């Protein structure tokens, strides 16, 4: 299984300039490729192939006066920018034909130097490596200091250098995990219970075994600080240095909220996967719920990110992950006798079954019904339900020992 391990980078002043130059060159090549495709579409001509774009936009462009500065960066990141364009158009056309699952994907757009996220990717052809001193050696950039928080389980196949809106730099390594080592890290699943999860806003999650996970509400707790920072930003003159300082302050405040939420999701999802042999959740319409008056609270909870973590961790560690249909009446059915008691307003938190007289907590009863519905789904096909193939995740939080300096370099050297 492929995963991404992200580590914080601390580039020096000269390396920041070199990274900004690399970001800009990759962005220019990307925009030139999009412009070439759009020009061919307007003229009714065939789309230029990747080989033609590589020749005209990189090889020949380096010899022209207007693009000769492309030779100041590694050619690999320019080639990867062209591959990003090809992938973007492939996803766009597949979405138009209905061959791509998920939300509709729009046509590729031009990238701006003011975009919140800038990234470049180095493959093995770029000959990057981790030095003996534990630094990341990037071509035409130099040895960048890395904050190693854990060891890499295998030799990375590529590294993506990212600068986010808060001005932080990250190195994201793509690695292939060892299934045997992953299974050894977790306890045997045979003797572990199954659990159903009901997600909510009053409580983040209520489990079928009675446990209640309170909602941290990271965004709500930081609203006062965010409001003050945003007010200061709105009063700064556009294009001024003070406005850029205020923008960074707002971006860092939002980054703290996002990081805290992501860490909470990682810790809780890992705990549930470790303690359960099967996890059942309800397939929520998060986008639809985010358009209601509770939209801010829905975004603050981050259900979609949490469910994605549960899904790929279940696949990684050999657990069963089941999604119950969103139209399953989990809040209307008595988990004891199975009688459907009808829909109930949200303010009704407890109710009594009219058939058997059992007093139910709304969320706990729903979690039990989610678990029962998932059990029916498993036995219907007489096989364990396994999740589909999950793409590589950008980040997986958590530290497993800090290995810096020579020891980290010896373990992760990519010669």
């Amino acid at each position: 299984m492929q995963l991404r391990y992200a580590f914080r980078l601390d580039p020096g002043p000269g390396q920041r300039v070199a990274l900004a130059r690399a970001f800009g060159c990759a962005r220019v090549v990307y925009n030139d490729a999009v412009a070439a495709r759009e020009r061919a579409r307007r003229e009714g001509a065939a789309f230029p192939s990747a080989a033609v774009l590589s020749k005209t936009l990189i090889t020949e462009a380096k010899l022209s006066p207007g693009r000769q500065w492309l030779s100041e960066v590694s050619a690999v990141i320019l080639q990867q920018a062209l591959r990003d364009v090809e992938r973007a158009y492939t996803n766009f056309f597949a979405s138009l034909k209905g061959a791509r699952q998920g939300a509709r994907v729009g046509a590729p757009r031009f990238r701006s130097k003011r975009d919140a996220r800038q990234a470049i990717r180095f493959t093995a052809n770029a000959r990057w490596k981790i030095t003996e001193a534990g630094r990341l050696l990037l071509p035409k950039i130099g040895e960048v200091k890395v904050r190693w928080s854990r060891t890499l389980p295998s030799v990375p196949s590529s590294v993506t250098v990212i600068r986010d809106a808060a001005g932080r730099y990250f190195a994201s390594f793509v690695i292939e995990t060892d299934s045997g080592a992953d299974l050894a890290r977790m306890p045997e699943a045979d003797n572990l219970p199954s659990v159903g999860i009901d997600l909510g806003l009053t409580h983040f999650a209520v489990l079928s075994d009675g446990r209640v996970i309170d909602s941290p509400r990271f965004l709500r707790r930081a609203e006062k600080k965010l409001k003050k920072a945003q007010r200061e930003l709105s009063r700064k003159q556009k294009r001024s240095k003070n406005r850029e300082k205020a923008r960074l302050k707002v971006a860092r405040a939002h980054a703290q909220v996002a990081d805290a939420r992501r860490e909470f999701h990682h810790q809780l999802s890992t705990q549930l996967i470790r303690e359960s042999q099967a996890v059942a959740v309800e397939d929520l319409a998060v986008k639809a719920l985010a358009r209601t008056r509770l939209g801010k609270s829905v975004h603050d909870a981050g259900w979609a990110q949490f469910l994605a973590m549960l899904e790929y961790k279940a696949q990684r560690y050999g657990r069963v992950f089941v999604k119950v249909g969103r139209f399953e009446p989990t809040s209307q059915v008595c988990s004891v006798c199975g009688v459907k008691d009808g829909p109930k307003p949200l303010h009704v938190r407890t109710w009594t079954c009219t058939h058997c007289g059992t007093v139910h907590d709304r969320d706990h009863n729903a979690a039990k019904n989610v678990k029962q519905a998932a059990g029916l789904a498993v036995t219907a096909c007489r096989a364990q339900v396994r999740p589909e193939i999950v793409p590589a995740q950008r980040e997986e939080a958590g530290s497993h020992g800090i290995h810096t300096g020579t020891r980290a370099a010896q373990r992760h050297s990519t010669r």
Side-chain angles (χ1 to χ4, degrees), residues 91-107:
N91 294 336
F92 170 59
F93 290 126
S95 181
L96 285 179
K97 299 176 182 178
R100 186 179 186 273
Q101 296 181 353
R104 291 284 297 271
V105 177

Side-chain angles (χ1 to χ4, degrees), residues 42-362:
R42 289 193 303 267
E43 297 174 356
F47 285 153
S49 63
V52 173
L53 291 176
S54 177
K55 179 180 179 181
T56 56
L57 301 183
I58 298 179
T59 305
E60 296 178 355
K62 290 180 179 180
L63 304 178
S64 63
R67 291 286 190 270
Q68 60 182 357
W69 34 264
L70 290 177
S71 59
E72 298 177 3
V73 301
S74 173
V76 173
I77 63 176
L78 306 181
Q79 295 289 346
Q80 293 303 312
L82 294 181
R83 290 186 174 90
D84 291 341
V85 175
E86 292 297 322
R87 186 183 302 106
Y89 274 103
T90 300
N91 294 336
F92 170 59
F93 290 126
S95 181
L96 285 179
K97 299 176 182 178
R100 186 179 186 273
Q101 296 181 353
R104 291 284 297 271
V105 177
R109 296 180 296 181
F110 294 110
R111 293 178 176 176
S112 171
K113 65 179 180 180
R114 296 181 178 86
D115 288 343
R117 183 177 182 272
Q118 303 286 337
I120 52 176
R121 186 166 63 256
F122 295 89
T123 59
N125 296 334
R127 296 182 181 180
W128 63 271
K129 68 176 183 178
I130 301 175
T131 65
E132 296 181 356
R135 293 174 177 259
L136 178 62
L137 177 60
L138 300 174
K140 297 189 178 182
I141 294 176
E143 298 182 5
V144 184
K145 183 180 179 181
V146 185
R147 299 186 190 179
W148 298 107
S149 58
R150 55 181 171 167
T151 59
L152 294 175
S154 62
V155 177
S157 59
S158 67
V159 59
T160 303
V161 179
I162 304 165
R163 188 187 68 195
D164 64 3
R168 303 177 301 177
Y169 294 84
F170 295 91
S172 178
F173 298 93
V174 176
I175 56 94
E176 188 76 26
T177 61
D178 184 3
S179 58
D182 290 338
L183 293 178
R185 291 174 56 189
M186 290 291 174
E188 293 291 336
D190 297 337
N191 300 325
L192 297 177
S194 301
V195 64
I197 305 175
D198 178 69
L199 300 176
L201 297 177
T202 306
H203 302 291
F204 179 78
V206 178
L207 309 184
S208 57
D209 57 10
R211 285 180 290 173
V212 177
I213 310 298
D214 291 330
S215 180
R217 300 183 180 180
F218 297 105
L219 179 61
R220 295 291 187 181
R221 286 159 49 187
E223 273 187 326
K224 184 177 181 180
K225 179 180 179 181
L226 291 170
K227 182 179 179 180
K228 181 181 178 181
Q230 188 66 49
R231 184 170 59 246
E232 293 175 354
L233 173 63
S234 65
R235 294 172 178 173
K236 297 296 186 292
Q237 184 178 359
K238 291 186 177 180
R239 309 289 182 181
S240 66
K241 292 184 178 180
N242 285 336
R243 182 178 178 86
E244 178 61 20
K245 294 178 183 178
R247 187 200 64 80
L248 280 177
K249 188 175 181 181
V250 174
R252 287 166 183 165
H254 279 287
Q256 289 179 356
V257 174
D259 291 345
R261 182 188 298 114
R262 187 183 303 110
E263 181 69 15
F264 168 73
H265 289 164
H266 271 299
Q267 291 182 0
L268 180 57
S269 59
T270 301
Q271 178 185 354
L272 293 175
I273 293 298
R274 179 183 296 275
E275 298 175 353
S276 309
Q277 66 169 327
V279 178
V281 297
E282 189 175 3
D283 185 18
L284 299 174
V286 178
K287 287 187 177 180
L289 292 172
R291 291 193 293 266
T292 65
R293 60 184 178 87
L294 300 175
K296 182 181 289 188
S297 297
V298 172
H299 286 300
D300 192 10
W303 293 330
Q305 178 178 255
F306 176 69
L307 295 182
M309 291 180 184
L310 277 177
E311 187 172 359
Y312 89 82
K313 289 181 182 180
Q315 181 187 11
R316 180 181 182 184
Y317 298 114
R319 302 303 199 245
V320 177
F321 179 80
V322 183
K323 278 188 177 181
V324 177
R326 64 187 60 172
F327 298 108
E328 188 75 21
T330 55
S331 298
Q332 305 176 23
V333 177
C334 174
S335 59
V336 177
C337 63
V339 173
K340 186 176 180 180
D341 202 22
K344 301 165 187 63
L346 288 177
H347 69 270
V348 177
R349 308 315 303 173
T350 59
W351 57 281
T352 304
C353 178
T354 57
H355 184 264
C356 65
T358 305
V359 179
H360 292 291
D361 177 81
R362 180 192 184 102

